[in-house]
Each structure stands twice: as structure tokens, then as C-alpha cells.
């Protein structure tokens, strides 16, 4: 009898998962797709591919950030609000390092490859160390506190990082040197910017390297084990604190790389850039299934493409509403995300 | 007389009673003291205090959702926006430009009630599909909702004039009003009184009345069947359901009632400012209100109020004043170099004003690290945190 009573909330909680809700969700998606196709057909196909490449390039940046969100959430179930600002910090630090390595806009193109890589490596290292420090100061002491506590310190850390960048450079939009070649390639009649291809290939390399690392290395195995069951992992001799610190390290490496790529691609950064970009990337992580690594990558690409299509074919003032609408709809209709693995109610 | 003495003796060691008494005395004496201290130019200070009262209302409302029912809401400012826009659209010339071509001038007192119910309805509307989600997932949905609502108001240009916001809202009126030395005038009864921005004290009195009414209402709710159901759901949803608590309705009511407070707080805020703009309801506002509740002590009404007042003072009085004061201090101490602006140095005033984000972040982080239960914690929760009755997180699941 008590068992039957205890089961009632489960049926009540599932009322949103009924077929009607799923059908309604599918209907909305279908209407959106039809509307988009209608708008696409009104413009010429060249424009379509232009929008698509912008979407994919943006999306690959979101994917890089989303991986950090999804990893941290997977392992300690924390929405790391500071992650978006770690991404901005990557752009800011690299911007400050360019003069040190003699990189300036309009110089010799290919000669910059090695200094640029050096800047990238130093930036990623610095950002990663900052992120590990944040974890050590703000999240580790609260590991056994109520969940709200680390969430609020994460918001506090986000504010501190933004404040530090604000103090450093002020409230202005900063120009980021345009170092990537502006040439456009013509592939079977479709014009694609070399810039978009470079951004995409960098992101793919990083995501693939990262996935291999998680799947093949010992540390990656430790991370997956910790994400599944922290206590059991500890019993198996995994150093939990080190594994979590490593997660923050790697997440920040990817976010730092994302910051540099964003700077090179958009050529414009500001101290509060991380807030909205971080939320988009977080939406991507949720969309793909939070805690799921390929999901984050695919979610990032999709969010980038949806945002670009909305900017290109509809009204860009509504893009943020569409993206956050997707966030809510995903959680309401399919809380496990597109490729989700984790159970939503824990 | 002995009864009074007993009452005082009984409550003199109860931090909540002390907090209520201190806030009550401060609220009663503030206009007078401010008039005295500024030599009759207290309007700015009193008006600031009235705005602080709005945040107290918001903290009380969010405390119902987060503190009582344990539902983490990261988009609370959305309901605040809905309340403000309700008044903005229903009580100005705004709707002439809209597709219905007809301005509405609903009296403030009715709009206050309407704003309350519309915000509560929005809370229930958001809650209905999402309340089966728990903890972080619910937090994310509310975050998304909180981001969407202000942008929606900004984009609906025909109805809300977009980024410019709605200005010149109707001035609330009352047939009779008492003025006196506290407002720097003679003691008199005014007829057809208008709550203009010059009558800071009137606004102040109004918000005090609203806050007192809210505190009484929420205190009653806290001890009621519904309040106990909220706390049961917060502690263990399955056990609460097994005891016969309708968890879905309980949580929906928490959302709706919590939202209703920000509804009338929003209507008040819009009317007082006579301006509603989409920029005043961003994520930072939601976070500020949440920080107020957490700083004061979640689940404890006087705690949330103290937290709101303290953080409001820091964010809206201390930090905005700090740059000028530091600049003046530097001048007085002879460090004139600090005040000269060079390409590499924005001047000490600008420097200090740029520190605001860092200071806000430091406040949040240090509260959570040093006193996670808040300044004035609820007794129940202190015991849970100390003794660790639950090995599961107490708050969000």
C-alpha cells in the first residue's frame, strides 16, 4: 500500500511525457522547419551556404565551450557559470600576448603560424590553471554542501572574472587582430571562406583529440568512472580531487582555445561576452544531453546553425529567445537531450 | 506592564524577534532621522529606502519559492518584469500606439492587484510543464524563462515601445492622505493626494505598508497546512507524497504565490519610477535577489529581509558612492596623482567603480564559503546543516 502511494508522484511527474506533449513538440519543430525552408527558397542558394558556414563555424566554437560545461556537469553536477567567462579570458589573455610575440594585424601571414600556436598554448595553459584555482577555492570546499552553494559561488566567480577583465580593459569592445586569410575558396560553385574552414578544422581537431583522450587515456577513464559513481570510483583507488581538477583543467583548455578561435573569427571581444556565449553553449550542452560528450559537440553545431539561420533569414532580435526557447523545450519534452544518457531526476 | 516585560524577556534572545524589532524601529524612524540629518533634503534617501523596500518584497517572494519549497528559481526577475509591464501597459498612453489604439488607465490600486494575479498566473504557467523536473533542471528552465521574458518585452515594439521602454506612467492617487513633519511639511490632511516623485515619503509609507502586509501573509502561510506541505516537499518529495501531500499542486502554488509578490512589487516599482524598461530585469537582478535570500538565511522571513536590506545598501548606496568618496579621500591625503587620468590609469574614481563586479562576486563567494546558512538562518535548517540529518543535499532535490 505504501509502495503504491509512493509511486503516485512518479506517474504525476510523467504527465509532461505523454504522447500529446511529444506530438506538440514535434509539431512545433515541423512548423519551424517548414518556415525555414520557405524562407530559404526565397533567397539564392549561395546565401544559404554562406549562412550555413557561419552557423557551422559559430557552432564549433559553442561546441568547444559546451564540452567544458557538460564535463563539469557530468562529474560534479554543477552548472559552472564561470565557464563562459573562462572562455572570454582566453580571448583576453591571447590578445595581451600578441604584442609579446610580435604578432600584429597585416603582417606576414604564414610566418605567424608558429607564434600563434605558442600564444595559443600559453593562453590555454594559463586559463586552465586559473580554472583549476577557481575549482580549488570556490567549489572544492563546498563539495558536500547543499547544491545551491557551489551554484552561487560559480555565479560569484563568474562575476569576479568579468570584473577582473572589466578592470583590466574597461567596458569597451576590443578589436582582436584579423590574422586569418580573407580568401574565399570556390568548391563546385559554392563560395566558402577560408576563415570558416580554418575555424571548423581547428574545432574538429580539438574535439576529436578530446574525445580520444576521454575514451582511451587512463585519466579519461577515471573521469568517466567518477562521473558515474564518485564513491565507487574512490573505492577503486581513483583520486577524486585530482580527477575533478583535471576535468576543470581540460574544460578550460578547450574554452581557452574557443576564446582564441572566437577572437580570430569575429575580431571583436568584450568583457561580458562570456555571459551570453556561455548560456548558448550551455543550451548546446543541454540540447545534446548534458553529461554526454558527443552530444555537446553536436548540440553546439546545431545551436550555432539555428542561431545563424535565425539571424540570416528571420529577425536577429529573436535569436536569443529562440535559443532559450529550445533550452526550455528540450528540458520539458526531452530532458535527456538528443543523445542523452543521464537520467534527469537524480 | 508585566505582560509586556514578559514578552520582551521571552523574545530578547530570539534573533528573529530582534531582527523584526530592529527593522520595525528603523522603518519608523528612518524618514525623521533622514530629514534631521540632511536638514530637510531627505527625499533622495527616503526614495532610495522605498526602492529598497521593493527588493525586500522580492526577497520575501523568492524566499517562498527557494526557501520554503526548495525550488531553485534563477529567473525570478521575469515575474518582476511582468508585474512592471502590467502596470506600464495598463496605466499609460502606451496602448494608443498598439494595435488596439486605445489607451487604458487602470487605477494603480487595481493594477496592483492585477499585476499580482498576472504574475501568479505566469508563475503557474511556467510551473505546470516544468515542475516534474527537479533541482538543477528546474533551475535551468527558470533561467531560460528569465532570459526570454525581458527580451520578449523588448521585441514586442508595438506594445511596449521596445528598448525605450514605457514612460510617463499614471500617477497613483488617493482621496485623502496625511502629511506631517516626517515629510518636512505641516501636519495636515491632504485631499486628492497624488503620489508624485516629489512625495518620496508617501512612496516610502506605501511600501512599508505593503511589506508589513506581505510579512504577515507569508508568516501565516509558513505555519499553515500549505506551508508545512512546502517544507515536506523540500525535505523529501516522495515521503511527502506518501503522507498525502499533493506535490504537484503544492509546488505550483509555491511558484504562483512566490511570483505574485514580485508582481505587485513590479507594479509598485514601475509606478514609482514612472518608467518601465526591458533593461531593468536581467539575469543580474534575479541573481541579486537570490543572493539576498541566501545571504539573509534561506527559509527564514526576517533573514531574507535583512539580507535584502544589507545587499541593497551595498549595491545601491555603498558601491555607487564609493568612487567619489575614494577620490575625495585621495585628494585629502594628498595623493593627487591618483585622480589624474592618463591613458594607462582611468583615475581612482573610475578604478573603484570598475571594481563593482569583483566586489559583488567576492560577496557571493565569501558568504557561501564562510556562512552558507546565511546571517539569520532558520533554526530548522541550522540544525540540518550542523548535524547533517540528511546525507542527500537538503536544498535542491
Amino acid at each position: 500500500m505504501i509502495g503504491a502511494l509512493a509511486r503516485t508522484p512518479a506517474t504525476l511527474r510523467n504527465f509532461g511525457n505523454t504522447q500529446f506533449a511529444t506530438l506538440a513538440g514535434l509539431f512545433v519543430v515541423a512548423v519551424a522547419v517548414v518556415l525555414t525552408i520557405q524562407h530559404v527558397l526565397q533567397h539564392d542558394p549561395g546565401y544559404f551556404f554562406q549562412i550555413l558556414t557561419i552557423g557551422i563555424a559559430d557552432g564549433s566554437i559553442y561546441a568547444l565551450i559546451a564540452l567544458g560545461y557538460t564535463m563539469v556537469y557530468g562529474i560534479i553536477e554543477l552548472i559552472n557559470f564561470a565557464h563562459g567567462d573562462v572562455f572570454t579570458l582566453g580571448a583576453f589573455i591571447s590578445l595581451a600576448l600578441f604584442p609579446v610575440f610580435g604578432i600584429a594585424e597585416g603582417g606576414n601571414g604564414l610566418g605567424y603560424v608558429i607564434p600563434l600556436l605558442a600564444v595559443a598554448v600559453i593562453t590555454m595553459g594559463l586559463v586552465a590553471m586559473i580554472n583549476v584555482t577557481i575549482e580549488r577555492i570556490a567549489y572544492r570546499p563546498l563539495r558536500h554542501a547543499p547544491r545551491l552553494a557551489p551554484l552561487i559561488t560559480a555565479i560569484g566567480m563568474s562575476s569576479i572574472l568579468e570584473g577582473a577583465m572589466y578592470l583590466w580593459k574597461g567596458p569597451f569592445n576590443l578589436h582582436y587582430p584579423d590574422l586569418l586569410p580573407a580568401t574565399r575558396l570556390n568548391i563546385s560553385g559554392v563560395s566558402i571562406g577560408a576563415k570558416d574552414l580554418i575555424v571548423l578544422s581547428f574545432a574538429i581537431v580539438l574535439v576529436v583529440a578530446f574525445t580520444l583522450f576521454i575514451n582511451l587515456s587512463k585519466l579519461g577513464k577515471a573521469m568517466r568512472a567518477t562521473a558515474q559513481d564518485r564513491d565507487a570510483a574512490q573505492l577503486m583507488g581513483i583520486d577524486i580531487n585530482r580527477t575533478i581538477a583535471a576535468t576543470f583543467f581540460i574544460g578550460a583548455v578547450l574554452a581557452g582555445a574557443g576564446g582564441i578561435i572566437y577572437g580570430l573569427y569575429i575580431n571583436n571581444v568584450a568583457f561580458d561576452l562570456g555571459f551570453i556565449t556561455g548560456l548558448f553553449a550551455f543550451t548546446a550542452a543541454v540540447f545534446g544531453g548534458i553529461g554526454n560528450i558527443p552530444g555537446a559537440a553536436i548540440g553546439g553545431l546545431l545551436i550555432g546553425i539555428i542561431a545563424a539561420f535565425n539571424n540570416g533569414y528571420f529577425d536577429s532580435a529573436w535569436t536569443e529567445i529562440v535559443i532559450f526557447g529550445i533550452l526550455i523545450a528540450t528540458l520539458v519534452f526531452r530532458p535527456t537531450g538528443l543523445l542523452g544518457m543521464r537520467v534527469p531526476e537524480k | 506592564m508585566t505582560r509586556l516585560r514578559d514578552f520582551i524577556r521571552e523574545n530578547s534572545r530570539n534573533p528573529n524577534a530582534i531582527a523584526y524589532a530592529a527593522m520595525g524601529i528603523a522603518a519608523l524612524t528612518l524618514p525623521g532621522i533622514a530629514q534631521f540629518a540632511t536638514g530637510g533634503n531627505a527625499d533622495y534617501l527616503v526614495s532610495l529606502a522605498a526602492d529598497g523596500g521593493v527588493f525586500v518584497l522580492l526577497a520575501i517572494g523568492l524566499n517562498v519559492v527557494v526557501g520554503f519549497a526548495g525550488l531553485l528559481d534563477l529567473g525570478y526577475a521575469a515575474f518582476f518584469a511582468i508585474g512592471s509591464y502590467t502596470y506600464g501597459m495598463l496605466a499609460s498612453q502606451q496602448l494608443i500606439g498598439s494595435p488596439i489604439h486605445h489607451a487604458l488607465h487602470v487605477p494603480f490600486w487595481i493594477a496592483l492587484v492585477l499585476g499580482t494575479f498576472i504574475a501568479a498566473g505566469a508563475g503557474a504557467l511556467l510551473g505546470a510543464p516544468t515542475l516534474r523536473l527537479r533541482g538543477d533542471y528546474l533551475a535551468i528552465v527558470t533561467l531560460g524563462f528569465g532570459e526570454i521574458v525581458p527580451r520578449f518585452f523588448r521585441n514586442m515594439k508595438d506594445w511596449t515601445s521596445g528598448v525605450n521602454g514605457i514612460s510617463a506612467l499614471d500617477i497613483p492617487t488617493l482621496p485623502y492622505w496625511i502629511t506631517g513633519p516626517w515629510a518636512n511639511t505641516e501636519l495636515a490632511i491632504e485631499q486628492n493626494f497624488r503620489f508624485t516623485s516629489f512625495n518620496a515619503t508617501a512612496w516610502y509609507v506605501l511600501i512599508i505598508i505593503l511589506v508589513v502586509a506581505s510579512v504577515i501573509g507569508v508568516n501565516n502561510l509558513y505555519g499553515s497546512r500549505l506551508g508545512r506541505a512546502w517544507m515536506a516537499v523540500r525535505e523529501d518529495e516522495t515521503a511527502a507524497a506518501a503522507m498525502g501531500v499533493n506535490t504537484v499542486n503544492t509546488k505550483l502554488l509555491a511558484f504562483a504565490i512566490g511570483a505574485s509578490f514580485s508582481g505587485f512589487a513590479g507594479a509598485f516599482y514601475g509606478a514609482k519610477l514612472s518608467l518601465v524598461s526591458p533593461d531593468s530585469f536581467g539575469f543580474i537582478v534575479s541573481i541579486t535577489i537570490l543572493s539576498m535570500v541566501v545571504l539573509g538565511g534561506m527559509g527564514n522571513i526576517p533573514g531574507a529581509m535583512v539580507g535584502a536590506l544589507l545587499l541593497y545598501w551595498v549595491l545601491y548606496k555603498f558601491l555607487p558612492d564609493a568612487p567619489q568618496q575614494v577620490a575625495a579621500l585621495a585628494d585629502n591625503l594628498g595623493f593627487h596623482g591618483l585622480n589624474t587620468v592618463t591613458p594607462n590609469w582611468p583615475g581612482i574614481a573610475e578604478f573603484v567603480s570598475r571594481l563593482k563586479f569583483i566586489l559583488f562576486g567576492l560577496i557571493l563567494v565569501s558568504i557561501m564559503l564562510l556562512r552558507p546558512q546565511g546571517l539569520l538562518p532558520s533554526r530548522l535548517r541550522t540544525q540540518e546543516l550542523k548535524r547533517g540529518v540528511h546525507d542527500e543535499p537538503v536544498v535542491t532535490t
Side-chain angles (χ1 to χ4, degrees):
Chain A
M1 160 111 169
I2 289 173
L5 278 174
R7 269 198 299 279
T8 13
T11 43
L12 282 176
R13 270 186 253 123
N14 283 336
F15 86 99
N17 258 348
T18 52
Q19 281 187 326
F20 172 74
T22 317
L23 281 177
L26 284 176
F27 177 72
V28 171
V29 171
V31 168
V33 169
V34 169
L35 269 179
T36 312
I37 291 173
Q38 192 202 346
H39 275 82
V40 166
L41 292 178
Q42 283 167 5
H43 296 78
D44 67 310
Y47 186 65
F48 171 78
F49 282 104
Q50 207 181 328
I51 298 286
L52 190 66
T53 44
I54 291 174
I56 290 174
D58 277 348
S60 53
I61 296 170
Y62 292 137
L64 283 177
I65 311 169
L67 285 172
Y69 272 112
T70 218
M71 264 172 34
V72 168
Y73 192 89
I75 209 158
I76 55 173
E77 300 193 343
L78 165 74
I79 306 169
N80 184 10
F81 274 106
H83 195 68
D85 300 299
V86 169
F87 153 82
T88 324
L89 202 60
F92 269 61
I93 290 179
S94 59
L95 193 59
L97 283 175
F98 282 149
V100 178
F101 283 79
I103 300 176
E105 205 164 39
N108 59 333
L110 281 178
Y112 280 156
V113 170
I114 289 166
L116 200 57
L117 284 179
V119 167
V121 169
I122 295 174
T123 305
M124 280 144 75
L126 279 175
V127 166
M129 278 191 288
I130 290 169
N131 206 26
V132 171
T133 316
I134 290 173
E135 193 270 334
R136 182 74 191 76
I137 296 171
Y139 307 148
R140 192 180 297 180
L142 296 170
R143 196 143 309 151
H144 299 288
R147 272 228 219 128
L148 185 58
L151 193 74
I152 289 183
T153 52
I155 293 165
M157 274 298 166
S158 156
S159 183
I160 291 175
L161 286 181
E162 278 187 21
M165 289 184 280
Y166 183 55
L167 200 62
W168 185 15
K169 297 283 186 187
F172 321 106
N173 273 337
L174 303 170
H175 179 70
Y176 200 96
D178 190 5
L179 300 172
L180 299 180
T183 44
R184 299 191 72 82
L185 312 171
N186 207 328
I187 302 167
S188 60
V190 178
S191 153
I192 293 175
K195 219 173 169 179
D196 304 285
L197 281 182
I198 292 173
V199 167
L200 179 63
S201 46
F202 264 118
I204 289 177
V205 167
L206 283 167
V207 169
V208 168
F210 170 73
T211 315
L212 288 178
F213 173 81
I214 290 286
N215 285 334
L216 300 179
S217 75
K218 208 169 172 183
L219 189 58
K221 206 180 209 176
M223 283 177 186
R224 282 180 288 138
T226 313
Q228 264 185 13
D229 189 332
R230 206 189 298 166
D231 295 335
Q234 196 158 20
L235 287 173
M236 293 296 122
I238 293 171
D239 184 341
I240 298 296
N241 284 334
R242 236 190 83 214
T243 313
I244 293 175
T247 311
F248 276 84
F249 189 92
I250 296 166
V253 164
L254 294 174
I260 300 172
I261 296 175
Y262 180 93
L264 290 173
Y265 185 61
I266 308 280
N267 304 120
N268 204 352
V269 290
F271 80 101
D272 57 354
L273 164 77
F275 176 66
I276 201 76
T277 319
L279 281 182
F280 274 30
F282 180 70
T283 306
V286 172
F287 193 37
I290 193 141
N292 181 330
I293 285 159
I298 292 171
L301 278 181
L302 282 175
I303 291 293
I305 291 171
I306 292 170
F309 271 85
N310 200 58
N311 286 337
Y313 287 107
F314 300 94
D315 186 354
S316 65
W318 289 86
T319 302
E320 284 157 1
I321 294 180
V322 169
I323 299 295
F324 294 127
I326 290 174
L327 176 70
I328 293 180
T330 312
L331 285 170
V332 171
F333 296 119
R334 201 178 157 81
T336 50
L338 290 179
L339 310 177
M341 298 190 297
R342 300 188 66 87
V343 189
E345 290 170 32
K346 278 197 80 170
Chain B
M1 201 58 214
T2 41
R3 208 176 279 170
L4 182 70
R5 199 181 299 153
D6 282 349
F7 179 78
I8 291 173
R9 190 172 297 152
E10 259 172 42
N11 286 297
S12 61
R13 285 182 180 269
N14 178 357
N16 282 353
I18 297 170
Y20 274 133
M23 280 190 287
I25 293 169
L28 284 179
T29 53
L30 185 127
I33 292 176
Q35 293 288 1
F36 182 71
T38 54
N41 298 314
D43 271 11
Y44 166 68
L45 279 178
V46 174
S47 171
L48 202 69
D51 288 342
V54 173
F55 278 88
V56 172
L57 279 181
L58 293 171
I60 291 173
L62 187 62
N63 184 45
V64 169
V65 186
V66 182
F68 291 174
L71 306 164
L72 182 51
D73 189 341
L74 291 179
Y76 192 64
F79 304 117
F80 188 37
I82 288 169
S84 285
Y85 269 97
T86 305
Y87 186 65
M89 287 162 76
L90 293 185
S92 68
Q93 297 292 337
Q94 179 61 30
L95 291 182
I96 285 184
S98 78
I100 61 171
H101 299 296
H102 190 78
L104 287 176
H105 291 282
V106 177
F108 173 72
W109 314 102
I110 295 171
L112 208 58
V113 179
L114 275 178
T116 311
F117 279 96
I118 290 174
L125 210 67
L126 169 71
T130 55
L131 281 179
R132 64 198 181 83
L133 302 166
R134 286 197 187 181
D136 293 354
Y137 283 77
L138 182 66
I140 300 163
V141 170
T142 54
L143 170 76
F145 182 72
E147 291 300 306
I148 286 178
V149 168
R151 289 189 170 83
F152 182 78
F153 282 129
R154 192 187 63 200
N155 286 349
M156 298 300 283
K157 292 190 185 70
D158 291 348
W159 295 87
T160 63
S161 22
V163 278
N164 301 326
I166 304 171
S167 52
L169 273 54
D170 290 355
I171 295 166
T173 53
L174 268 187
Y176 296 102
W177 187 258
I178 306 174
T179 59
W182 54 86
N184 211 20
T185 53
E186 295 291 306
L187 186 68
I189 290 180
E190 269 190 50
Q191 288 194 336
N192 294 329
F193 184 78
R194 288 159 61 79
F195 285 80
T196 58
S197 52
F198 302 109
N199 290 317
T201 315
W203 284 109
Y204 177 80
V205 172
L206 188 59
I207 192 80
I208 295 290
I209 293 170
L210 286 176
V211 168
V212 169
S214 306
V215 169
I216 293 170
V218 175
N219 241 326
N220 281 336
L221 274 177
Y222 181 76
S224 72
R225 188 187 155 84
L226 181 62
R228 283 174 281 133
W230 281 336
M231 274 160 272
V233 167
R234 177 185 77 197
E235 299 305 334
D236 190 331
E237 203 179 322
T238 317
M243 292 296 126
V245 174
N246 183 340
T247 54
V248 170
N249 281 356
T250 310
K251 293 203 282 186
L252 264 185
L253 275 174
F255 247 77
I257 292 175
S260 67
F261 284 94
S262 62
F264 69 79
F268 177 91
Y269 188 72
K272 178 169 181 300
L273 213 62
S274 197
L275 171 77
V276 183
S277 114
D279 301 327
S280 7
F281 309 104
F283 181 64
I284 188 75
V285 179
S286 299
I287 289 307
T288 307
I289 305 165
L290 184 65
S291 316
M292 286 168 171
V293 175
V294 174
L295 168 68
M298 256 193 307
N300 195 24
I301 304 162
M305 294 167 72
V306 169
L309 290 172
L310 204 64
L311 205 54
Y312 177 79
W313 177 76
V314 169
L315 291 178
Y316 291 86
K317 180 80 183 122
F318 177 74
L319 286 183
D321 285 359
Q324 283 87 5
Q325 287 178 353
V326 173
L329 186 72
D331 254 352
N332 290 339
L333 293 178
F335 298 112
H336 300 290
L338 288 174
N339 282 327
T340 23
V341 179
T342 66
N344 292 318
W345 175 248
I348 187 86
E350 173 67 12
F351 180 80
V352 172
S353 89
R354 283 186 189 180
L355 278 174
K356 63 184 175 190
F357 290 103
I358 294 189
L359 288 175
F360 182 59
L362 281 177
I363 292 171
L364 292 190
V365 173
S366 41
I367 303 167
M368 286 334 296
L369 291 179
L370 302 176
R371 203 173 160 84
Q373 74 272 36
L375 297 174
L376 206 65
S378 93
R379 275 189 199 165
L380 215 74
R381 178 143 293 174
T382 323
Q383 288 190 342
E384 284 160 10
L385 283 168
K386 258 191 200 151
R387 297 187 189 160
V389 182
H390 303 262
D391 46 4
E392 283 290 300
V394 184
V395 179
T396 50
T397 50

